[in-house]
Every structure is written in structure tokens, then in C-alpha cells.
Amino acid sequence: MTTDNPDRRRLMQWSLAAVPALMTLGHASTLFAEDLAKPSAGGTGPEHDFDFFLGNWHVKHRRLKQRLVGNHDWEEFDGTSHCLSLLGGIVNLNETVVNRANGTYRGMGLRAFDAKTGNWADWYLDGRDPTQIDAPGTGRFANGVGTFLSEETYEGKPVTSRGLFTPITPSTCQWEQAYSTDHGKTWETNWVMRYTRMA
């Protein structure tokens, strides 16, 4: 999907900003969302790679306080995540609640599968700045590991951002983010999220 058309980009931002509200519309909507979150039975193609992520999770965060300066001081906090499936399984989104020392905030992850390329795109929308959305990380799963790359700017520095989903079990998984300033020769991990499935 291209984002150089301002009208299309604005429409996407407004649509994404509305989703967290739609996900909390009451009991009937909750039951509907839970039904949507169930993976398709017997799915084995790459369009089912994120079926493991559907449902409710408790999340332990470990976040580097300063990035790309040789810092080794980590902040730890917890949160939750609820992920559901849309468009017959080729799209999924999760609403996250993050409980940091300076307050609680929400965000949303959105992933979409492109059958033409076999790749997934992975976006994140921060509830504190809900009209801004960056270019997605793009990638796929191989040998049980999902790798997603994007070119970004962090505090004025061009960086390659890498998101990894691993390891994955029926009740646990992990996502971690790392930055590289040398085109992937070296990486600094700056955020680790450990997920444990809730009943």
C-alpha cells in the first residue's frame, strides 16, 4: 500500500484511530471480537502465520531507557494485549494497554498479509499521537521466527528497525525491537515484550 497520497494516508489514519473505540463497544461487541479472534481451523499457509497471536495476553515489557548511546539501563513494566482477526484472516490487529511509571496509555498493532509477495506488513499506532503512523515493517516467518524490517529515523539518525517474533509456543511468545545504524551489520535491542496467554 502506498502512503504518498495525502488523502489515502489521512483516511487510513482516521480508520485506524477509530478501531480501539470499536473494540470496546460493550458485551455484544466483545463476544463478536472473541469469535473473530479464533484462528481458522486447519490453516497452514503463510496467511495463517499470525494465528498464534490471536486472543488475550499478559505482557512483560523491558525497554532500554536510552537508545543508540551505549546505554544499558532498562525500564520494566507490564501491560495487556488483545488480538483479533479480520478480512478472513489476512488482517489482524491488537489493542495494547501499557502501564508505565509515568502513566497508562494504549496503542494498536495492525498486520496485513500480501498474497502477491508472501510478505506481512506490520504497523503500530500510538494512542498518544493517533493521527501519525509510520511506514510498516515488512517481512515473513521462516523456521518459526518472524522478521520485519523498515527504514526509519530516530532522533534525526537514519536507522534500520527490526522486529522479531520468537520463540512461539501455544501459551507464550516474544517480540523484540532492535535498531541498526550500519545497515544491519550490528544491532542494538531496545525493547522486549514477553507475552503469556490469559484464560
Side-chain angles (χ1 to χ4, degrees):
M1 177 177 181
T2 59
T3 57
D4 55 349
N5 183 317
D7 293 330
R8 290 181 66 187
R9 183 182 179 95
R10 195 158 32 250
L11 178 62
M12 180 180 178
Q13 291 170 344
W14 290 341
S15 300
L16 289 173
V19 171
L22 293 174
M23 292 174 69
T24 58
L25 283 179
H27 184 64
S29 295
T30 300
L31 292 176
F32 179 63
E34 289 174 353
D35 188 56
L36 286 173
K38 296 175 183 176
S40 301
T44 58
E47 66 273 21
H48 293 279
D49 281 342
F50 274 103
D51 285 358
F52 77 90
F53 204 39
L54 304 177
N56 298 308
W57 302 87
H58 178 258
V59 188
K60 286 286 188 183
H61 297 258
R62 191 166 184 259
R63 182 179 184 272
L64 197 61
K65 290 186 176 180
Q66 293 181 291
R67 301 175 184 177
L68 303 177
V69 293
N71 179 262
H72 301 286
D73 191 10
W74 293 82
E75 173 190 11
E76 296 189 4
F77 47 96
D78 67 359
T80 59
S81 177
H82 173 69
C83 184
L84 57 87
S85 177
L86 299 169
L87 299 184
I90 64 168
V91 168
N92 65 81
L93 59 87
N94 67 296
E95 182 182 18
T96 62
V97 179
V98 178
N99 303 307
R100 294 180 66 185
N102 59 355
T104 297
Y105 65 89
R106 296 174 184 267
M108 187 183 73
L110 169 68
R111 287 152 296 276
F113 178 70
D114 183 353
K116 296 186 297 294
T117 64
N119 286 332
W120 284 86
D122 185 7
W123 292 267
Y124 182 74
L125 183 71
D126 191 324
R128 297 167 298 179
D129 194 7
T131 62
Q132 299 297 317
I133 189 166
D134 294 327
T138 57
R140 61 180 66 195
F141 283 79
N143 301 316
V145 177
T147 304
F148 300 86
L149 301 171
S150 63
E151 298 300 323
E152 302 179 12
T153 302
Y154 179 74
E155 295 187 347
K157 300 177 183 178
V159 298
T160 302
S161 178
R162 182 185 68 190
L164 294 178
F165 283 92
T166 181
I168 297 165
T169 75
S171 59
T172 62
C173 65
Q174 179 172 293
W175 175 86
E176 64 180 66
Q177 176 179 266
Y179 284 168
S180 174
T181 58
D182 54 15
H183 308 288
K185 294 177 183 176
T186 59
W187 296 92
E188 178 188 80
T189 299
N190 56 57
W191 203 321
V192 178
M193 298 168 66
R194 295 189 175 100
Y195 292 78
T196 303
R197 189 174 295 282
M198 295 192 293

